[in-house]
Structure formats: structure tokens, C-alpha cells
Amino acid sequence: MSTTLLDPAALGPWGWSAAALLGLIVGSFLNVVIHRLPRMLERRWAAECAALQAPQSGAPPLPSESSRFDLLYPASHCPACKTPIRWYHNIPVLGWLLLRGRCAACGAPIAWRYPLVEVLTGVAFAIVFARHGAAWPTLAWWGFAAAVLALAFIDWDTTLLPDDITLPLAWAGLIAAALGWSGVTLADALWGAVAGYLSLWSVYWAFKLLTGKEGMGYGDFKLLAGLGAWLGWQALIPIVLVASALGAVVGLAMKAMQTLREGRYVPFGPFLAFGGLLVWALGPRQVLGVLGL
């Protein structure tokens, strides 16, 4: 039985235009997730550490921060001057253009990354709708695209790949395969998740045993497992090849420009995410063809 409720061709350009608009809105929310989720995790870890240390020291636990801080509160505001952002300045892409990339109150620069995340999400949502129309797989792939984009930018900013996103991504991929929404058989999705995790896990331990250093984090294993669950084990080699090539190019460019961060490293997660999105958009064979393989 087909999962498509409405053929995308029936709506013409209105369908994917509406999907793109929805993507812009979701992308605006992803900017909140990218900025706030790492800080929420830091608060959680600090509270857990304080709770563990208190019984040993005999001192009362450190009081938690009284101000609420999550994905919904406080309302959007300028990080520099804390001025609340007016609703029309929060319109995806357009708000940034109206402000010319600066806070209306204090003139602090607003990173171009904000409209970039919105545009990328809008494009991804339009592509999904053009493929699947009004169908359950569309919702599934929208969730996939949003999660992978959020992980890419969080890792670039903080070198964190939160379990709050990577683990649901992997499980959702297996569920989507079981329901027939991802176009990948459950067996391929399962082995994609297993091979995705174990492949980078093996590289991590081989590198650590040889050098005594950690070449990547556990979040990279989980991200590749999630990508394998959604795209199947056949997608893993193209994803890793694209990620490795792109990571090497960006790393060398940053080294030449002396913009490498402390520790002289480049997070691998954003390149895995980009490789996953590229394989999803073009297909594994096409990506290997572009790479000349």
C-alpha cells in the first residue's frame, strides 16, 4: 500500500514552495536548538556534578541557576545586549536582511550562519516534498534532515554531538525502515547502524592504541550509526569518503589561514553530516561516481 497521500505533482510549485516555507520556519527553530542545547547540557552536567560532590564534602549542593533556560524560554534576544528580538525581526532570512546582519538595539553583528541554517533547511524540506508528496515518509525525512543539520552546526561550534539527537536519530531510522518509510529494508538499516558505529569505533581505538591520543569522539560513532540506519549500509563508504576528503581540505585551509582552534583539530561530525546529506540527495552510486570510484 502506498504511503503517499497526495502526489507532489498535483500541487505543482505550490507544494514544494509551502514545504520550503515550512523548512525556513523549522530552520529558525534549529538555530535555537544549535545555540541553546549545548548550554542546557552544560547546566545539566554542572548540576549532576554538584549533586555528586555534595555528599562527599558534607556541603549542601550548589544552588541551581534560578532562571529558566530551555528551548522555549527565555524569548529570543540579542546575546550581546539581551534586548528581546521583535517578531518581524525573527522572520526567517528576511529578518536578518532587514537588520543587515546587526542587532537593531546595539548593532552587534548577527552571524550569517543563522540565515544559512534556515535556507538549508528550507531546501531540504522542498526536496523531500518533491520526492514524496504529502506522505508519512515526508515527515520522517524532514525529521532526518533537521536532526542532521542541527548536529552538524552544534558539533562545529562545540565539538559535541548530543545523545539527545544522535540516539533518537538512529532509532528513528530503524523505525522508519520497519514501517517502509525510508526506502531502506530493515536488514540494511540494522546493519547500517551496526557497521556505522563499529567502523569508527575501530578506527578510534586503533588510533588511540598507536598514538595514545583520541582522534574523534563517541558522538561520531553514533552519528554514523544514525546515518547508516536511515540510508543503509551501502551508504557508509561514500559518506566516510566524502567526509574525509572534505575534512582534509577544510583542515588544510584552516591551517594555512591559521584559524585552527586550540588543540589544532577540526571536528569530524559536520563532514559526516554533509556526506550523509549528499548521499541522501544524490544516492551512493552517484556520489562514488563524482569521486571517480
Side-chain angles (χ1 to χ4, degrees):
M1 180 177 178
S2 174
T3 56
T4 302
L5 306 178
L6 185 62
D7 192 317
L11 292 177
W14 294 104
W16 58 262
S17 297
L21 178 60
L22 177 62
L24 292 175
I25 297 171
V26 172
S28 181
F29 177 71
L30 289 184
N31 279 319
V32 177
V33 175
I34 293 165
H35 177 75
R36 296 192 183 190
L37 182 57
R39 290 159 179 79
M40 291 165 56
L41 293 175
E42 289 173 359
R43 288 188 172 206
R44 184 195 307 172
W45 297 332
E48 291 173 353
C49 289
L52 289 172
Q53 292 173 357
Q56 298 176 2
S57 64
L62 294 174
S64 60
E65 296 188 50
S66 58
S67 58
R68 173 184 167 188
F69 187 82
D70 53 38
L71 298 180
L72 300 178
Y73 187 89
S76 298
H77 58 274
C78 172
C81 67
K82 310 302 180 185
T83 301
I85 299 176
R86 298 172 182 175
W87 69 267
Y88 50 85
H89 288 156
N90 246 339
I91 300 174
V93 181
L94 183 59
W96 187 86
L97 292 174
L98 289 173
L99 291 170
R100 297 181 180 179
R102 293 193 172 275
C103 172
C106 68
I110 303 172
W112 56 266
R113 215 242 342 256
Y114 287 93
L116 174 63
V117 170
E118 294 164 355
V119 169
L120 289 175
T121 311
V123 170
F125 274 41
I127 292 174
V128 170
F129 186 86
R131 289 182 176 179
H132 302 287
W136 294 116
T138 295
L139 294 178
W141 284 109
W142 280 350
F144 166 82
V148 171
L149 284 171
L151 286 168
F153 285 97
I154 289 174
D155 194 31
W156 183 261
D157 285 348
T158 65
T159 70
L160 295 174
L161 287 167
D163 286 352
D164 303 61
I165 304 179
T166 55
L167 297 183
L169 178 69
W171 283 110
L174 296 175
I175 294 171
L179 294 173
W181 291 356
S182 65
V184 175
T185 67
L186 181 56
D188 286 349
L190 175 61
W191 288 114
V194 171
Y197 188 92
L198 290 181
S199 59
L200 291 188
W201 178 87
S202 302
V203 172
Y204 168 88
W205 279 107
F207 184 82
K208 187 171 184 179
L209 290 174
L210 289 172
T211 66
K213 301 177 181 179
E214 297 183 356
M216 63 181 69
Y218 279 62
D220 295 317
F221 317 160
K222 299 168 189 175
L223 172 56
L224 190 57
L227 295 173
W230 278 93
L231 302 170
W233 62 267
Q234 301 89 338
L236 294 177
I237 290 178
I239 290 173
V240 172
L241 288 176
V242 170
S244 300
L246 186 61
V249 170
V250 172
L252 289 173
M254 293 178 68
K255 183 177 181 180
M257 295 184 291
Q258 298 183 343
T259 56
L260 285 175
R261 60 190 83 187
E262 185 179 355
R264 303 179 66 80
Y265 62 86
V266 177
F268 194 45
F271 306 110
L272 284 175
F274 178 81
L277 291 173
L278 188 64
V279 170
W280 162 71
L282 301 181
R285 292 183 180 178
Q286 290 77 2
V287 170
L288 288 175
V290 170
L291 295 174
L293 301 174

